Amino acid sequence: MDSGGILGLTGAETAGALESGEIASDEVIGAWDRAAASDDLNSWLWLPEAREQEEATGAPVAIKDIFCTEGIPTTAGSRILEGYLPPYDSTAVAKLRAAGLPVLGKTNMDEFAMGSSNENSAFGPVLNPWDRTRVPGGSSGGSAACVAGGTALWALGTDTGGSIRQPAALCGIVGLKPTYGAISRFGMIAFASSLDQCGPLTTNVTDAAMLLSILEGRDPLDSTSTGIPGGIVPPEGEDLSGLTFGVPRSFLEKGVDPGVGDVFERSLTEIESLGGTVVEVELPHAELGISAYYILAPAEASTNLSRYDGVRYGMRVEERDLVEMYEQTRSLGFGREVKRRIMLGTYALSSGYYDAYYARAQRVRTLIARDFETAFEQVDFVVTPTSPSVAFEIGEKVGDPWTMYLNDLFTVPMSLAGIPAISIPAGLSEPAGGGPELPVGLQLAAPAYGEQKLLNASIALEKSIGFEGRTGEVGR
Amino acid sequence: MIDREQVAHVARLARLKLSEEEAGEFAVELSAILDHVDLLASVDTDGVEPTTHVVELVNVLREDVPGIELTVQQATANAPESEDGAFRVPSPQAEA
């Protein structure tokens, strides 16, 4: 099989062809190494110059540069980690390697996973393969762009408030945020520890399930990890009969671009044509999600990022005084958005403001989680558009933080509730200002540990929607 | 609302050195963000338990046996400056 043939296989097909001996391990790795090197979207922060002989059982995986990789530079998209070579592998990467899936390279991202456009990377923005004047979404922008652009088969990302689902939607691929705790966070550079979760970005639902089945599991090195009871098997689903899908209409009124709304309505018709029942549900507190999130996540980040002080790793600005060294190092090492969130979080936790902001946001988080519990008494899934708009132009939203934050309006509530949610490509829509059509994502959320049901429903929808990727291939 | 004086105080707590320009911009931006966040005050949260963590786990313990550890050499390998297996930093009492 030639290189082009290898690049055209799905994850499952690649594994099958390797097992039968139809293709060899070094052919698969070589084909993907050449594909990755051909990237012109700034998707990659690191690619190997040479490889040791590796025995692959499947295609190598693109790894967001937030996962520690032994002896391989890991930056989290920040200057402050310049020169850092982790002494160990994160559990997620170790599990992939143990399953015979090598590291293809490390992908670009918003600094410390803070952003929805990849414009906050210290190493430059990533371009959307559908339209190079537009963002790929973020913070897992490099991971989404390389998969959609064909320079990787599949990728790992992280999602704190939408950082897997939103870029997957904007790039026309599948992105899954599992239940909080399903996958170990050990060796995953921390942003907001009560929200951070690792997950796959793939061209199709079956491949997402394949990676999840390898990654999930309890890890003694992360005491908050639980795995998924019963594990994950290859998803199967032809129809949606007997399943109920809840649409939070009043929440969606908070702002969806008309084109995105049209594609979403067509998805609901698709669900019904597959035998599913669509009903309205109320999530009365979901619209407060962004407000609660922008207290809780920065608060956790402000403490997590206190470790970057020029002492143990990364860069240092030489000063004669210790505190001066801390301040100069952090001020030069962190980018603008990271500083903004450290400031916001420090303020919210500071004496006199703690109860008004942090404690109140934690209580609102409880109310949002309860809204989902109530909804799931009536429905199997909650469905929304993944993002209020299609991919926006580079530079369009950088001047106004809150407008940028609203990209995650529909993804943040699931993160706060800790429940699993997937974004699958639902169709194409013109941007609000006109121009070529761009991908729209459909988000489905399920109760905690409902990943298998979520994947089964997603595969039935994927077949029936028949979304054509950028290359024109259906369900590659 | 957050004024420049508060910005300077918070920056000190966070060990960030902001330029005059940055401090002014942060005062405006953070105030705008907090205006939106103030929506939280509109909800009745009396009697609602705060969520610190979504997974209900209690006392996750491990066996009390030595596990994989980093060697001193590995632990200090990434430090900008180290000496005899320790991290080297400037004096906390230097004249600024």
Side-chain angles (χ1 to χ4, degrees):
Chain A
M1 192 180 296
D2 65 7
S3 210
I6 291 172
L7 303 185
L9 302 175
T10 65
E13 288 164 355
T14 308
L18 277 163
E19 200 181 4
S20 71
E22 193 186 337
I23 48 175
S25 192
D26 56 350
E27 290 175 313
V28 173
I29 296 175
W32 283 110
D33 275 342
R34 286 188 292 279
S38 74
D39 171 80
D40 54 5
L41 304 168
N42 202 23
S43 302
W44 301 95
L45 293 182
W46 180 88
L47 290 169
E49 278 165 26
R51 276 188 192 274
E52 309 261 317
Q53 188 74 25
E54 280 176 283
E55 208 50 50
T57 62
V61 187
I63 308 291
K64 186 178 184 179
D65 206 22
I66 200 164
F67 291 92
C68 286
T69 37
E70 188 177 347
I72 294 174
T74 300
T75 66
S78 183
R79 280 187 70 186
I80 209 159
L81 274 169
E82 204 165 71
Y84 175 54
L85 295 174
Y88 57 87
D89 272 337
S90 54
T91 296
V93 169
K95 285 188 128 179
L96 293 178
R97 288 197 208 263
L101 304 181
V103 172
L104 178 59
K106 305 291 293 286
T107 60
N108 203 343
M109 56 180 285
D110 283 301
E111 185 176 4
F112 287 106
M114 298 177 191
S116 310
S117 68
N118 219 106
E119 291 166 293
N120 296 332
S121 168
F123 307 101
V126 175
L127 313 182
N128 189 313
W130 291 76
D131 177 345
R132 283 149 195 266
T133 66
R134 293 176 186 269
V135 305
S139 67
S140 308
S143 285
C146 69
V147 172
T151 66
L153 177 67
W154 45 17
L156 276 197
T158 59
D159 190 313
T160 304
S163 281
I164 288 174
R165 292 163 283 163
Q166 185 255 11
L170 269 47
C171 288
I173 59 170
V174 173
L176 171 66
K177 182 204 87 77
T179 306
Y180 180 84
I183 301 173
S184 169
R185 291 181 295 112
F186 178 74
M188 201 173 100
I189 293 173
F191 160 16
S193 307
S194 81
L195 297 158
D196 295 343
Q197 185 56 207
C198 158
L201 294 101
T202 59
T203 59
N204 64 79
V205 174
T206 306
D207 284 0
M210 203 170 151
L211 287 184
L212 181 62
S213 71
I214 295 167
L215 294 164
E216 66 87 17
R218 196 181 120 54
D219 178 10
L221 298 172
D222 171 6
S223 58
T224 62
S225 65
T226 56
I228 299 170
I232 294 294
V233 297
E236 280 180 43
E238 294 298 331
D239 65 53
L240 301 172
S241 51
L243 297 172
T244 309
F245 296 74
V247 183
R249 288 277 173 204
S250 51
F251 177 39
L252 300 185
E253 279 167 17
K254 302 300 165 192
V256 179
D257 276 5
V260 171
D262 290 346
V263 173
F264 179 65
E265 295 303 327
R266 286 209 297 278
S267 307
L268 299 181
T269 310
E270 202 79 50
I271 288 170
E272 286 175 327
S273 75
L274 288 168
T277 307
V278 176
V279 299
E280 205 172 321
V281 286
E282 294 293 331
L283 297 174
H285 302 95
E287 62 175 300
L288 295 167
I290 291 283
S291 294
Y293 179 85
Y294 276 95
I295 292 299
L296 298 174
E300 293 186 27
S302 71
T303 55
N304 272 328
L305 271 59
S306 65
R307 73 190 61 168
Y308 304 104
D309 57 4
V311 175
R312 287 156 296 174
Y313 26 63
M315 57 162 275
R316 171 190 288 188
V317 176
E318 294 298 341
E319 293 288 342
R320 282 186 55 235
D321 176 79
L322 182 64
V323 172
E324 191 69 14
M325 186 280 281
Y326 291 154
E327 292 186 344
Q328 295 291 357
T329 298
R330 290 166 63 79
S331 298
L332 192 73
F334 290 136
R336 187 59 188 263
E337 179 65 22
V338 172
K339 284 187 212 172
R340 188 184 288 132
R341 295 206 198 179
I342 290 174
M343 291 288 292
L344 189 56
T346 306
Y347 177 76
L349 291 175
S350 67
S351 167
Y353 298 97
Y354 181 93
D355 286 330
Y357 290 113
Y358 188 70
R360 181 167 282 269
Q362 284 185 313
R363 290 189 168 87
V364 171
R365 183 175 185 180
T366 305
L367 294 174
I368 291 169
R370 280 189 200 161
D371 283 354
F372 279 107
E373 281 166 25
T374 308
F376 287 133
E377 286 169 10
Q378 313 157 49
V379 300
D380 296 287
F381 306 104
V382 168
V383 286
T384 73
T386 307
S387 177
S389 74
V390 293
F392 45 94
E393 286 176 10
I394 293 171
E396 189 180 328
K397 296 185 180 179
V398 283
D400 180 357
W402 196 259
T403 304
M404 185 68 93
Y405 297 168
L406 286 176
N407 277 296
D408 293 332
L409 181 63
F410 302 138
T411 49
V412 151
M414 292 75 178
S415 295
L416 292 170
I419 60 174
I422 191 169
S423 178
I424 62 170
L428 297 172
S429 159
E430 263 188 30
E437 291 189 310
L438 295 164
V440 173
L442 173 69
Q443 177 179 232
L444 297 98
Y449 307 113
E451 278 85 349
Q452 189 68 53
K453 264 176 74 181
L454 198 56
L455 290 160
N456 291 348
S458 298
I459 205 161
L461 267 167
E462 177 181 60
K463 282 181 210 163
S464 122
I465 290 169
F467 180 81
E468 292 188 20
R470 196 180 57 93
T471 51
E473 292 173 82
V474 182
R476 199 173 67 137
Chain B
M1 263 308 280
I2 170 164
D3 59 27
R4 285 175 81 118
E5 206 174 305
Q6 283 170 301
V7 166
H9 171 65
V10 173
R12 217 190 116 58
L13 293 176
R15 294 282 185 257
L16 289 172
K17 183 148 273 183
L18 303 180
S19 66
E20 276 297 304
E21 193 192 348
E22 271 183 315
E25 285 169 7
F26 274 136
V28 174
E29 289 171 2
L30 296 180
S31 295
I33 294 168
L34 290 171
D35 279 347
H36 291 286
V37 167
D38 282 339
L39 257 184
L40 295 177
S42 67
V43 207
D44 181 7
T45 56
D46 282 354
V48 178
E49 283 294 311
T51 296
T52 48
H53 217 274
V54 285
V55 186
E56 286 179 30
L57 293 169
V58 252
N59 296 345
V60 179
L61 302 175
R62 65 161 174 81
E63 293 296 309
D64 188 18
V65 288
I68 48 153
E69 303 288 347
L70 296 180
T71 63
V72 170
Q73 201 276 330
Q74 283 177 312
T76 54
N78 277 290
E81 208 181 338
S82 64
E83 194 178 301
D84 300 334
F87 299 111
R88 197 180 161 87
V89 295
S91 165
Q93 286 153 346
E95 297 291 320

